[in-house]
Amino acid sequence: MAYHEKSKIWEQDALYSRVFPERVTAEHIVFVASLLRAIEMEKARLGRISADARTEDEIELFEWFSLRGSIMLAAEAIGTTRETLVGEAVSDAYVLQFKKNLSVSEAAKVWEPIVESLLAFAPGQLRDPLVTSTLRNRPAVESALRNFRSQVVAARKHNRAAYELFVDQVITR
């Protein structure tokens, strides 16, 4: 709903409270906004590569980014992997924030290696809800998110070093 009817967030108290619960902090907003910025930066990076110089994987990801809602779905998908990224249970996602007081741009740089690594799964795991339905089809989105998270978990061992660098900069409780 927040994606399709953004203006209603400001008009309906119940929706506003669902999108911005009282426990949301400025630090958490920087954490999430910087993830979104890092995803946008990856899309822009791919766009700067000439079409004939892109690898097959880059072509697939760039094409996936052309789908409506891809950036928001990528942010949600990466968010679902938070426990894999930090290596522990996260009972309240709203506590996640960076240890240092970073600007959104600085924090996006912390996200870059994570985003680059995890977006490799996006064209294969997150395509269906964007082409066969919409982000309003929550069952399709939830299924895609589960598949995405499963792939990230399967690759956890190979990405351990990047995850450890990331978690060293994050408060999880």
Side-chain angles (χ1 to χ4, degrees):
M1 167 146 333
Y3 177 76
H4 293 288
E5 298 173 2
K6 293 182 274 294
S7 65
K8 289 188 178 180
I9 293 171
W10 314 113
E11 299 166 0
Q12 299 175 3
D13 289 342
L15 180 57
Y16 180 88
S17 296
R18 197 170 74 212
V19 175
F20 298 108
E22 286 187 28
R23 65 188 188 278
V24 172
T25 63
E27 294 82 5
H28 180 69
I29 290 173
V30 168
F31 187 80
V32 175
S34 62
L35 168 59
L36 197 59
R37 173 80 54 89
I39 294 166
E40 292 167 343
M41 288 168 38
E42 180 63 10
K43 179 180 179 181
R45 183 191 70 77
L46 290 170
R48 288 189 300 273
I49 301 170
S50 68
D52 59 331
R54 286 188 196 124
T55 66
E56 195 171 316
D57 293 335
E58 290 169 334
I59 291 168
E60 287 179 11
L61 183 56
F62 191 66
E63 288 173 354
W64 180 82
F65 267 130
S66 72
L67 300 172
R68 184 171 190 259
S70 61
I71 290 174
M72 296 306 285
L73 185 57
E76 185 176 3
I78 292 171
T80 68
T81 70
R82 63 187 168 270
E83 292 182 344
T84 302
L85 294 175
V86 301
E88 63 183 68
V90 177
S91 60
D92 183 2
Y94 292 104
V95 302
L96 294 172
Q97 63 185 53
F98 290 106
K99 291 178 181 175
K100 293 181 181 177
N101 187 15
L102 303 173
S103 69
V104 172
S105 295
E106 293 167 331
K109 287 183 169 71
V110 175
W111 277 109
E112 275 183 15
I114 299 298
V115 166
E116 182 181 354
S117 170
L118 298 187
L119 284 181
F121 300 116
Q125 302 303 318
L126 300 175
R127 182 178 212 79
D128 284 350
L130 300 175
V131 296
T132 61
S133 61
T134 69
L135 294 181
R136 291 181 199 206
N137 182 346
R138 288 314 294 177
V141 170
E142 295 297 329
S143 177
L145 294 174
R146 278 192 304 278
N147 292 338
F148 180 86
R149 191 175 61 244
S150 295
Q151 292 297 313
V152 173
V153 168
R156 172 180 36 209
K157 185 177 182 180
H158 301 291
N159 291 316
R160 186 178 331 192
Y163 295 174
E164 287 173 357
L165 287 173
F166 179 76
V167 78
D168 284 344
Q169 299 179 66
V170 174
I171 295 173
T172 61
R173 295 177 197 253

